[in-house]
Amino acid sequence: MPEGDTVFLTAHRLRLALAGKTLVRSDFRVPRYATVDLVGDLVEEVGSYGKHLFIRTTTASIHTHLKMEGEWRTYCAGERWTRPRVTARVVLGTDDTEAVGFSLGTVEVLGRADEHTATDHLGPDLLGANWDAAEAVRRLACHPAQPVGLALLDQRNLAGIGNIYRSEVCFLRRVHPATPVAAVPDLLALVNEAHRVLTEAAHRPPWRALVYGRQRRPCQRCGTRIEVRPLGETSPASDRLTQRERGIYYCPRCQPEPA
């Protein structure tokens, strides 16, 4: 599933393509919004919050979530699409550009005043202008017995981390992902590390993984072979999906497993 940095960069790309332009086509290929017509609206802004993306027009906020397979692509007007047309769920066109959302997991058309309803349940946005590390720590600390590797996935605690960056952040802080939140030596430092890593990935891509996907390869700190194993199951609030047995990557020497 795309993580916060990918959604942030997608929003930036759509902003360059659409912002300040008037829609000459709006096609919502989901039953609930099939009759919505935003032709004539000006695209005022494109932004993200965690893994959620918003295209804001004069009258509406188009809220989308990529989930596992979703993607936004932009084309010159009239250019042939490079993904199957049947997978398109939203098409927005200006005089010179088409933005197409393929295989999107969530599509909503909200009133501008109602946009907050899509994010009210989320914790602080790691890439947001109002990022609040103290609030993220407070939310994490409300679940002291939960493994920190699962708590980091719960978007109600802090928004934007997925399976890749929870492994990376825990490695950088030398914390085993199965460590209970209450046993993490410095929770604020962990949260600050998450903010640093996501910011670097979003503003200076690509991020080069230190442990994720490197099973059986040597740790870049100590040479021990990186291991991967399932961590278990967390609540459906993480991305609103069941996170069952997602693999955690870690160095058994740098990140000793809790007793």
Side-chain angles (χ1 to χ4, degrees):
M1 177 180 292
E3 304 193 23
D5 61 319
T6 299
V7 179
F8 181 90
L9 290 168
T10 298
H12 175 69
R13 180 163 45 84
L14 289 173
R15 187 180 308 119
L16 293 177
L18 298 175
K21 300 178 182 180
T22 299
L23 294 178
V24 298
R25 180 184 183 187
S26 79
D27 184 0
F28 294 92
R29 301 181 180 183
V30 291
R32 184 177 179 182
Y33 301 107
T35 61
V36 171
D37 184 3
L38 300 181
V39 170
D41 271 21
L42 180 73
V43 179
E44 296 183 340
E45 172 60 18
V46 183
S48 64
Y49 191 109
K51 301 179 184 183
H52 300 255
L53 190 146
F54 299 90
I55 300 172
R56 304 176 180 111
T57 76
T58 312
T59 64
S61 179
I62 304 164
H63 166 226
T64 61
H65 193 298
L66 303 180
K67 295 293 175 73
M68 293 299 295
E69 299 177 351
E71 182 184 20
W72 277 97
R73 293 191 182 183
T74 58
Y75 303 92
C76 294
E79 182 182 357
R80 183 176 180 179
W81 297 352
T82 52
R83 286 191 58 169
R85 300 183 73 87
V86 70
T87 65
R89 301 198 72 198
V90 180
V91 184
L92 301 174
T94 69
D95 285 335
D96 59 4
T97 301
E98 275 190 328
V100 187
F102 295 99
S103 301
L104 300 172
T106 297
V107 176
E108 288 186 301
V109 182
L110 305 171
R112 291 290 296 268
D114 298 323
E115 182 181 299
H116 67 93
T117 62
T119 58
D120 280 348
H121 67 289
L122 301 174
D125 177 12
L126 280 155
L127 294 175
N130 297 320
W131 161 247
D132 188 340
E135 176 61 15
V137 168
R138 185 192 70 79
R139 290 177 179 236
L140 287 168
C142 288
H143 310 282
Q146 186 177 37
V148 68
L150 296 184
L152 289 172
L153 286 185
D154 191 332
Q155 304 297 292
R156 295 174 301 181
N157 294 327
L158 63 173
I161 288 184
N163 200 36
I164 296 173
Y165 292 116
R166 62 107 171 242
S167 292
E168 296 293 296
V169 169
C170 287
F171 173 75
L172 287 165
R173 292 303 307 167
R174 298 176 180 263
V175 173
H176 193 284
T179 304
V181 169
V184 174
D186 190 338
L187 204 53
L188 178 59
L190 184 82
V191 163
N192 284 335
E193 191 75 76
H195 180 240
R196 183 191 69 79
V197 167
L198 262 291
T199 299
E200 182 174 326
H203 292 282
R204 294 188 296 277
W207 171 262
R208 295 182 179 179
L210 301 174
V211 288
Y212 183 82
R214 291 178 53 84
Q215 64 270 31
R216 296 186 295 278
R217 298 177 66 182
C219 170
Q220 297 184 46
R221 274 199 296 239
C222 72
T224 303
R225 289 206 312 175
I226 298 299
E227 296 186 6
V228 58
R229 69 173 177 82
L231 184 57
E233 187 175 9
T234 184
S235 74
S238 298
D239 307 325
R240 295 184 178 179
L241 292 174
T242 301
Q243 310 296 338
R244 185 174 182 80
E245 297 190 340
R246 281 188 173 184
I248 54 169
Y249 296 81
Y250 65 99
C251 170
R253 182 175 181 183
C254 293
Q255 299 163 269
E257 191 163 359

